[in-house]
Amino acid sequence: CLETGRVSWRGSRETGIVTLQRIVVVLQIACVLYIAWSSFAPLSWGEHGGLVDSDYHIHKRPTVEVLNWYQMVLLGLSRITAYSMFLPILLVVVSKCKLLVEVLNRIQWCNVLFTDALSLEGHEIHVLMGNFIGVASTIHAVAHFLRWADQGNLEFFWNHSTGISGFVAIVTLPLIVIPMAVEWVRKRLSYEYRKAMHLLALPFALALLHHLKWEDGFLPQVTTACLVMYAADRLGLWALRTKSFTPVATVT
């Protein structure tokens, strides 16, 4: 009976992971379509148009200015990758909120979709989303670098909050992701070192928090929600005098 329950739980966990991945992909596509439309629809369409005029000029802030079609392609890459990361960033944090996962476990309809996919034994979602953030952030940063270099605006990296925070984020991110994701590195670093380097997620999050002004996009709101949620989860665990919860298996 115990073995049957274990197999059933593992099956439901894998089903939950696949279902959650599909939901993430659909929502990411929605985010990408939104930013593509809001950025590049003709400005002449008024309130339903985007930000670009017939001379390729972006009417917003200087860090997203474009002067030709090449820079427009690069801006498209950077903005699309940015908006595609919102949900993965949220899931990376949620998957480590032990108290929240336990609460979701007690809601019947969440049991398979969320708890089995996000539980401590279901570490796949955290890994998948973390790896996605690593790749998408690299594309995002390279696209910005090439566009600013083409404009002669590399000084944004040291005299503008977007460039400074982006530099901090892209420097800390490899130290967070690579020791856990790359097998060659993982085998040569002890778990203690890799875990300590993972704590750089805090300065990474603070960099994201200062990457945009509150009114310029959704990143500050998403990052604030993640920081508040994780802090509340840690506080809740401390209040309950426990370090972790064991997800309840679904036995059929």
Side-chain angles (χ1 to χ4, degrees):
C1 181
L2 180 61
E3 183 64 29
T4 302
R6 185 179 297 114
V7 172
S8 174
W9 185 86
R10 185 181 298 114
S12 67
R13 177 174 64 83
E14 292 172 353
T15 301
I17 291 172
V18 171
T19 304
L20 191 57
Q21 283 179 300
R22 289 173 179 171
I23 293 174
V24 169
V25 169
V26 170
L27 292 178
Q28 283 179 304
I29 291 173
C31 288
V32 166
L33 292 176
Y34 166 79
I35 193 57
W37 176 269
S38 64
S39 296
F40 304 120
L43 184 66
S44 59
W45 292 8
E47 63 177 290
H48 301 293
L51 304 170
V52 185
D53 64 17
S54 58
D55 296 321
Y56 300 106
H57 292 127
I58 290 280
H59 293 265
K60 205 171 184 182
R61 55 190 187 278
T63 54
V64 294
E65 180 75 16
V66 295
L67 304 175
N68 52 52
W69 68 267
Y70 167 68
Q71 294 177 17
M72 184 178 290
V73 170
L74 293 173
L75 180 65
L77 278 175
S78 61
R79 302 200 90 188
I80 286 172
T81 50
Y83 274 67
S84 69
M85 284 189 284
F86 288 162
L87 196 55
I89 289 172
L90 187 63
L91 286 174
V92 160
V93 175
V94 171
S95 64
K96 290 304 176 183
C97 290
K98 301 175 184 179
L99 185 58
L100 176 60
V101 169
E102 177 65 13
V103 171
L104 291 174
N105 185 62
R106 301 186 185 280
I107 303 175
Q108 186 174 3
W109 64 270
C110 288
N111 186 265
V112 172
L113 179 58
F114 291 107
T115 305
D116 289 338
L118 297 174
S119 66
L120 298 179
E121 293 186 41
H123 191 58
E124 292 90 336
I125 288 295
H126 185 81
V127 173
L128 287 171
M129 296 300 101
N131 290 344
F132 179 87
I133 292 169
V135 173
S137 294
T138 301
I139 296 173
H140 177 85
V142 170
H144 272 311
F145 176 84
L146 292 176
R147 183 169 55 84
W148 290 347
D150 193 57
Q151 297 171 348
N153 287 330
L154 289 178
E155 69 270 11
F156 284 150
F157 281 112
W158 60 83
N159 67 10
H160 195 284
S161 59
T162 296
I164 296 170
S165 59
F167 181 77
V168 172
I170 204 61
V171 167
T172 56
L173 187 61
L175 300 176
I176 299 169
V177 176
I178 291 177
M180 294 292 190
V182 179
E183 185 176 0
W184 186 89
V185 179
R186 191 168 62 245
K187 287 182 176 179
R188 285 161 176 78
L189 284 177
S190 68
Y191 176 78
E192 289 73 19
Y193 281 115
R194 290 185 282 120
K195 185 70 174 178
M197 295 173 76
H198 233 54
L199 296 177
L200 290 171
L202 179 57
F204 174 77
L206 293 176
L208 294 186
L209 191 60
H210 293 86
H211 197 52
L212 294 176
K213 294 180 180 178
W214 194 268
E215 64 272 16
D216 286 338
F218 300 109
L219 184 60
Q221 294 89 326
V222 172
T223 307
T224 299
C226 289
L227 289 171
V228 170
M229 181 169 52
Y230 188 77
D233 193 83
R234 294 286 101 182
L235 182 61
L237 290 176
W238 175 82
L240 294 171
R241 306 291 183 179
T242 183
K243 294 184 178 180
S244 65
F245 288 99
T246 301
V248 178
T250 301
V251 181
T252 58

